[in-house]
Amino acid sequence: MTQLHTLLIGTALTAFASTAAFAQTPAQPAAGISGQAQVQTQTQAPAEAPAAQGVQMPSPAPQNLTAPGSTDPLVQKRNADAEANAEYRAQKKTSKAQMKEQQKAAKDEYTNQVRNAKLNRKADRAAASNELKSGMQGQSAGAAASGEAHN
């Protein structure tokens, strides 16, 4: 059933597209000499247009692609939903950017804390090592002095 439904929709869309394309094409001139003459005059017409003489042609008015305020409740709901979705996506995008910024700041702070902790640990070890070395030298000097006294 769904394949049949898809086929019917595809056929309808194709027919609609071909009808719309046919409606947009200009009327074909009659075959023969008059058709060739009309084509030649069409190609010469732009060269003689006022725009070629320095007079600027007015540009066509911009077309509004959205339907004006429809009274159909379903269209109004669709427009409201689209607007709400766009607002939600924009808000989500900004909050995601803020979250990434906060995470980056937290990560930077953490790496600084780890780096400082490593430096502090290294400094503490060096201080303890120096203290042990100075204590050993003091003991060995004291032991040597006491050993000389015993001999």
Side-chain angles (χ1 to χ4, degrees), residues 26-44:
Q28 296 294 328
I33 299 172
S34 63
Q36 291 175 354
Q38 186 176 7
V39 170
Q40 288 176 354
T41 56
Q42 286 178 353
T43 57
Q44 291 174 359

Side-chain angles (χ1 to χ4, degrees), residues 55-77:
V55 177
Q56 189 174 11
M57 294 291 292
S59 62
Q63 295 178 353
N64 190 4
L65 297 178
T66 58
S70 176
T71 58
D72 186 12
L74 293 176
V75 172
Q76 289 176 349
K77 183 180 183 322

